Amino acid sequence: MESIAPTEASAATAPALAFHDVSFSYAAQDGEVARPILSHLSLDVEEGSLTLLTGPTGCGKTTLLSLAKPEVAPAGTCTGGVCVMGHDVRRLSPVESARLVGYVFQDPDAQVVCDTVWHEMAFGLENLGVPEPEMHRRVAETCTFLGMEPWFRQSVATLSGGQRQVLALAATLAMQPRLLLLDEPTSMLDPVAERDFLHALFRVNHELGTTVVVATHRPAPMVGYATAALRMEDGQVSPVTSLDGLSTEPDLLSGTRWEGAPAATSDERDAAAAGMDGVWMRYQRDEGWVLRDCSLAVASGSVHAIIGGNGSGKTSLLLTLAGVTRVSRGRVTNPLAVSQALLPQDPKVLLVGETVADVVDPMHGHDGHGPDEGRQMLERMGLSGLEDRSPFDLSAGQQQLLALARLLLHRPRLLLLDEPTKGLDDAAASLVAQVICERRDAGCTIVLATHDLRLARQVSDTTSLLFDGGITATLATDDYFRRTILNG
């Protein structure tokens, strides 16, 4: 990578992050021409700012951020120069990089490496050689700052996706970097946790003076904390002149509610397609209950939303309903188990194949559809033109859409979706909302666990609140959101 090399004297007045004429292309597959993700891109991020990086799914936001952190920079061809606080990132030692740049991944499982929360918090500090008294102070202060004390000694395996995301931030923040880069940091947080997280991030920026850059598809909740914003599209970035324009979120559907299907209370929808009665479930005998006396009835041909805070057990409920986890007491009823499909929080486990086309190719373990249907499904999910790309070179949002495309090709009668709009921009989230409604209209029963209350409000027939391991309330969705204070 060609670079700019400022002197040490100029480093004191340099931008916190600077890209100079940067172009980047991922390594090409056999016979494929490498396509540029970034094209002669230049930008400066002012030190002390809290800058939002926005743009559509797959535009290259993650690629841009990762080029500023040598240890996570992607493989490919890069020209131009990237500097942090005036220092060429190629010339940073691992210790210098850790002290200058903190990076929080969109997928916390790609970052968290230790088995317990406290060990993960200490891991980076140990590698930096921080003295033990100082290390204990930093860990305690960071955990207090982010409200982690109640689960400080827990196993990482017992944490919800949102808690793991907070842990990834905390472990990075404990190293006190001067520049903090975050990739979709709130995508797995419930609305209340998101507000707490963003307030803590504001304090990190405002009180500690840390420069923060946040790549996000949902800038609206962050606008009140930001000092600047950039929009990325077609390999370039441009400044957002008015933050006010980012403060509203459009409806996912053309109206506030989907009008193409009969009401969930019609006679043909009364029969229960799946459910559980008095279920108690935990992952290990010596651990606490995740589900406790949990009962749920899902009407046939309906969309049923499960909402609740981080760690409330939404993912566990889906896994239990699918028969992936065993219950200690109670009963699970799922007559559609032979025709069910589960979209997990990590879509990469479904991306089997060397290329995007392989993932939806009937020759790669799929049945019931032909190659034309696979191509049509890619087009439906906005993935046309990516057929020859490796699925692991896609953005996280594109991986989410591809995993869903693969599941839909099986035409399941029961579709279980865990955070289906995670990491998606408004256009892609709208597409998922439309697909959910189309599947429901075709007779599919859908259970979705989500923090995206906008999605739950607009596509579900019924909403249930999961709290303290059990279903606390189940109401028709319109009734639920008329009564609730959780309208984040």
Side-chain angles (χ1 to χ4, degrees):
M1 180 171 72
E2 300 171 6
S3 65
I4 49 180
T7 64
E8 290 299 317
S10 67
T13 58
L17 175 64
F19 280 64
H20 176 69
D21 196 30
V22 172
S23 296
F24 178 83
S25 299
Y26 281 99
Q29 301 290 320
D30 292 341
E32 180 188 356
V33 177
R35 286 165 289 192
I37 303 299
L38 310 180
S39 180
H40 301 287
L41 178 151
S42 296
L43 67 86
D44 288 344
V45 173
E46 182 181 352
E47 185 169 6
S49 67
L50 197 163
T51 299
L52 307 182
L53 179 62
T54 69
T57 298
C59 70
K61 298 187 296 296
T62 297
T63 300
L64 186 148
L65 288 189
S66 62
L67 289 175
K69 183 71 172 174
E71 295 80 4
V72 301
T77 301
C78 188
T79 60
V82 182
C83 288
V84 172
M85 304 296 175
H87 301 280
D88 185 339
V89 296
R90 295 183 313 161
R91 299 176 182 173
L92 296 177
S93 70
V95 170
E96 290 171 331
S97 176
R99 287 176 173 160
L100 274 180
V101 187
Y103 192 103
V104 179
F105 290 79
Q106 181 172 350
D107 178 7
D109 292 335
Q111 183 166 0
V112 175
V113 296
C114 297
D115 57 348
T116 61
V117 172
W118 72 265
H119 196 186
E120 182 67 26
M121 289 294 300
F123 181 74
L125 298 174
E126 290 171 343
N127 288 335
L128 288 179
V130 174
E132 190 168 333
E134 172 73 4
M135 179 173 63
H136 288 171
R137 182 185 65 80
R138 287 200 202 178
V139 168
E141 287 180 348
T142 306
C143 287
T144 300
F145 204 68
L146 294 173
M148 296 169 55
E149 188 173 359
W151 40 282
F152 176 64
R153 295 195 175 275
Q154 281 188 217
S155 164
V156 170
T158 66
L159 302 182
S160 70
Q163 287 171 321
R164 291 197 299 275
Q165 202 160 30
V166 173
L167 174 59
L169 170 68
T172 302
L173 191 58
M175 291 185 282
Q176 298 181 353
R178 294 179 62 189
L179 172 65
L180 185 59
L181 307 174
L182 302 103
D183 191 2
E184 298 288 351
T186 64
S187 64
M188 297 172 69
L189 300 181
D190 66 71
V192 174
E194 179 183 50
R195 287 193 289 269
D196 291 343
F197 182 98
L198 292 175
H199 183 67
L201 199 60
F202 170 76
R203 290 180 58 203
V204 170
N205 170 247
H206 187 70
E207 297 176 18
L208 304 182
T210 306
T211 305
V212 179
V213 181
V214 184
T216 179
H217 288 122
R218 292 188 61 239
M222 305 181 186
V223 167
Y225 303 99
T227 61
L230 302 167
R231 178 168 177 81
M232 187 169 184
E233 197 162 14
D234 298 326
Q236 292 287 321
V237 292
S238 57
V240 175
T241 55
S242 173
L243 291 178
D244 291 342
L246 302 176
S247 61
T248 58
E249 292 184 303
D251 288 336
L252 295 179
L253 302 171
S254 56
T256 56
R257 295 278 293 153
W258 179 255
E259 300 297 341
T265 56
S266 60
D267 292 341
E268 64 268 27
R269 292 171 179 262
D270 285 343
M276 52 182 65
D277 183 22
V279 164
W280 293 72
M281 191 281 291
R282 58 187 173 189
Y283 290 100
Q284 301 291 338
R285 292 187 58 141
D286 58 347
E287 294 177 355
W289 295 105
V290 180
L291 300 178
R292 51 177 72 232
D293 198 21
C294 185
S295 296
L296 174 73
V298 178
S300 179
S302 71
V303 178
H304 196 124
I306 309 295
I307 65 172
N310 288 112
S312 61
K314 297 186 299 297
T315 293
S316 297
L317 185 147
L318 289 188
L319 294 175
T320 302
L321 203 58
V324 176
T325 59
R326 300 182 62 182
V327 304
S328 297
R329 297 200 297 273
R331 184 179 58 153
V332 176
T333 304
N334 185 358
L336 300 180
V338 294
S339 181
Q340 71 177 16
L342 170 66
L343 178 70
Q345 275 195 10
D346 182 3
K348 292 190 290 293
V349 300
L350 298 178
L351 305 185
V352 179
E354 294 184 2
T355 67
V356 169
D358 288 343
V359 175
V360 296
D361 190 330
M363 299 299 292
H364 283 76
H366 306 292
D367 53 16
H369 74 276
D372 287 344
E373 291 177 87
R375 287 191 292 271
Q376 291 167 5
M377 184 60 73
L378 290 180
E379 183 177 2
R380 179 71 183 95
M381 302 305 291
L383 300 173
S384 292
L386 303 175
E387 290 85 353
D388 295 331
R389 291 271 299 274
S390 165
F392 299 102
D393 284 345
L394 302 182
S395 72
Q398 289 170 325
Q399 289 176 345
Q400 185 92 340
L401 294 172
L402 180 58
L404 182 56
R406 174 181 173 175
L407 295 182
L408 293 175
L409 284 168
H410 289 283
R411 301 185 186 90
R413 295 174 60 200
L414 175 63
L415 191 55
L416 306 171
L417 305 175
D418 197 353
E419 299 291 352
T421 56
K422 172 175 59 70
L424 300 182
D425 63 17
D426 286 334
S430 177
L431 174 60
V432 169
Q434 294 170 28
V435 167
I436 288 173
C437 293
E438 290 168 4
R439 292 295 91 198
R440 187 264 308 275
D441 290 353
C444 183
T445 301
I446 301 168
V447 184
L448 60 95
T450 185
H451 290 132
D452 187 348
L453 300 186
R454 181 176 52 158
L455 177 71
R457 278 197 304 266
Q458 294 185 47
V459 306
S460 68
D461 302 296
T462 307
T463 296
S464 292
L465 175 65
L466 185 62
F467 174 78
D468 194 30
I471 297 295
T472 301
T474 296
L475 292 168
T477 293
D478 286 340
D479 289 342
Y480 187 90
F481 284 100
R482 270 197 298 266
R483 302 182 188 190
T484 186
I485 62 171
L486 300 176
N487 278 303

